[in-house]
Amino acid sequence: MGGMPLTDMPWWRWRTNVRSALHMLSDPAFHRECWLAGREGYGDVTDAVYRLVEDTWLDNWSAEKYVGTIFRDSAEAAAVDAAALHVLRIMHQVGADAPVSAYLEHQGWGEAVQAAREAHVMLATNDAEDPDIPPRSLEVIRIMTRAA
C-alpha cells in the first residue's frame, strides 16, 4: 500500500484517536464480538464517539479546519465530517448513556457504519495501514500515543 506513516502528521496523536474511533464504529463484527458481548478494553459506542470528537471538536466545526494537522486533505476531512455527523445524530437521538443495542438497532446505524467505514478506509490507506485488521484495544492506543 502506498501512503505515509501516521506520525508524519503534526497532530498524529489526535489522528490516532480519530482513526481508532472510526475503525470501531465501522466494523459490524467488532460491534457484535466486543461491544455487544461486553468485552473489556474497547470502551463502548459513546466512548468511540467521544474519541472521534473530543480533541477535534468535530461536534462544533468541520474537520476541514484540521487539514494539514490531523487530516491530510479535504477528502479525508469530508469523509470524517460525514461519519461524525451520522454518529452524533444517533447519539443525540438515543442518548449518550444508551446501551449498545440502542445504537445498533437505530434506523440510521447502517448509514453511520458505512460513513465511518469510508472514512476509516481512507485514513488507514493514506497511513499505509491495512484497514481490515481488527481494531486495537484502548490500551494499545494509549501506548501508541505515548510513544514518540
Side-chain angles (χ1 to χ4, degrees):
M1 284 206 236
M4 304 168 100
L6 171 68
T7 56
D8 73 326
M9 297 301 297
W11 295 354
W12 65 270
R13 287 174 178 86
W14 289 9
R15 184 177 176 92
T16 300
N17 284 325
V18 167
R19 282 201 39 212
S20 169
L22 290 169
H23 196 171
M24 290 180 184
L25 291 163
S26 72
D27 187 341
F30 172 84
H31 301 162
R32 289 186 307 277
E33 296 165 11
C34 291
W35 284 343
L36 279 174
R39 189 169 166 196
E40 294 291 320
Y42 292 89
D44 60 14
V45 180
T46 302
D47 174 69
V49 174
Y50 285 145
R51 276 184 292 116
L52 179 61
V53 302
E54 181 177 36
D55 291 327
T56 59
W57 287 51
L58 295 179
D59 51 341
N60 291 308
W61 52 62
S62 173
E64 186 70 30
K65 178 179 182 80
Y66 299 108
V67 169
T69 55
I70 299 174
F71 307 113
R72 296 186 188 283
D73 55 33
S74 292
E76 282 189 358
V80 171
D81 275 341
L85 288 173
H86 280 312
V87 297
L88 284 168
R89 185 176 305 120
I90 293 169
M91 188 175 87
H92 289 126
Q93 289 174 2
V94 302
D97 295 328
V100 171
S101 59
Y103 287 90
L104 276 53
E105 294 167 1
H106 188 278
Q107 69 272 11
W109 187 250
E111 290 175 15
V113 169
Q114 182 61 38
R117 175 71 182 167
E118 290 170 10
H120 163 64
V121 167
M122 183 181 295
L123 273 65
T125 302
N126 288 346
D127 289 341
E129 291 187 10
D130 180 357
D132 294 322
I133 61 170
R136 295 176 175 109
S137 72
L138 297 179
E139 180 60 24
V140 169
I141 297 299
R142 276 189 286 279
I143 291 166
M144 287 174 58
T145 56
R146 274 186 270 171

